[in-house]
Amino acid sequence: QVQLQESGPGLVKPAETLSLTCTVSGGSISNYYWSWIRQPPGKGLEWIGYVYNNGNTNYNPSLKSRVTISEDTSKNQFSLKLSSVTAADTAVYYCARSGGTWHFNYWGQGTLVTVSS
Amino acid sequence: EIVLTQSPATLSLSPGEKATLSCRASQSVRGYLLWYQHKPGQAPRLLIYDTSTRATGIPARFSGSGSGTDFTLTISNLEPEDFAVYFCQQRSAWPLTFGGGTNVEI
């Protein structure tokens, strides 16, 4: 059974870079699309972007200038970096897997990241 | 981007009753509408994809319907484990977008 687990700091200061890692177990990271999705408190989910096949990426235009998603196949992990964060980036961040049909059939449990000084 | 609006925000029902949840898109999503169930502290679970196809292992009491811009998730005969938040997602256009969710509560 494929499992995803997010990890990273729960508190980030404004203007700094948020960094999260998703560790995948129970299956290879190769040949799937690996996305980051977030949910600010009291709001709906927002797709941030994906990485595919060790370098191909696609980002939400609303975040594109600040986002980098990468994968490390040797560790079966992929990562999110979001720069110049503000309080509006406070959210529960999820990692998720899909195929090319964009069904998110595996998700992590999510990790809360708070942006505050 | 395509905006998905879910209603109602909260649905208060009892076990055994039927739940009818709505997801309306700001433009046609051509049937590429998915539904997920999300319980606190757990990973979301894919229920329905492409309007009406149940994902693997999803019970038949979950059904989806609709077309174009208006979609419905129906949960017949609510079981205690069905009380959760449900959200929709479209995969018709980039960026992928999600609805705000409906909380089905006891």
Side-chain angles (χ1 to χ4, degrees):
Chain A
Q1 175 76 344
V2 175
Q3 293 186 312
L4 288 71
Q5 180 66 57
E6 304 90 350
S7 60
L11 181 64
V12 181
K13 290 183 168 54
E16 295 190 344
T17 296
L18 179 160
S19 296
L20 295 174
T21 296
C22 183
T23 300
V24 180
S25 59
S28 172
I29 200 171
S30 299
N31 298 319
Y32 288 99
Y33 294 80
W34 301 96
S35 285
W36 287 96
I37 296 162
R38 70 180 183 178
Q39 185 171 29
K43 297 187 178 181
L45 292 157
E46 179 180 35
W47 173 76
I48 298 170
Y50 72 68
V51 63
Y52 171 68
N53 268 358
N54 209 20
N56 297 292
T57 55
N58 186 16
Y59 301 136
N60 192 319
S62 67
L63 296 167
K64 187 173 183 177
S65 63
R66 300 193 291 130
V67 172
T68 302
I69 299 175
S70 60
E71 62 179 22
D72 185 338
T73 54
S74 66
K75 295 181 179 179
N76 234 34
Q77 295 177 333
F78 65 105
S79 299
L80 167 70
K81 292 189 185 300
L82 181 65
S83 63
S84 305
V85 296
T86 69
D89 295 309
T90 293
V92 176
Y93 285 76
Y94 297 93
C95 54
R97 190 190 92 171
S98 68
T101 53
W102 312 112
H103 308 164
F104 294 107
N105 46 15
Y106 293 102
W107 296 67
Q109 293 188 328
T111 187
L112 174 63
V113 179
T114 301
V115 178
S116 174
S117 56
Chain B
E1 69 177 43
I2 297 176
V3 177
L4 299 179
T5 302
Q6 291 188 242
S7 61
T10 302
L11 197 52
S12 298
L13 295 168
S14 299
E17 292 190 303
K18 182 171 78 171
T20 303
L21 288 68
S22 172
C23 179
R24 177 165 291 178
S26 58
Q27 63 190 78
S28 175
V29 298
R30 304 177 290 153
Y32 296 133
L33 195 285
L34 300 84
W35 292 94
Y36 298 83
Q37 178 192 68
H38 191 195
K39 297 180 181 179
Q42 296 185 19
R45 178 171 72 147
L46 176 66
L47 297 175
I48 301 279
Y49 62 91
D50 295 352
T51 300
S52 59
T53 304
R54 281 188 298 277
T56 303
I58 302 303
R61 64 180 181 274
F62 291 92
S63 62
S65 63
S67 64
T69 61
D70 290 299
F71 298 86
T72 299
L73 173 69
T74 302
I75 313 170
S76 60
N77 194 18
L78 279 163
E79 297 284 347
E81 62 267 26
D82 298 336
F83 291 91
V85 174
Y86 294 83
F87 56 90
C88 55
Q89 176 218 327
Q90 64 82 20
R91 67 176 191 93
S92 175
W94 296 101
L96 305 176
T97 53
F98 296 86
T102 291
N103 180 26
V104 178
E105 64 174 23
I106 297 177

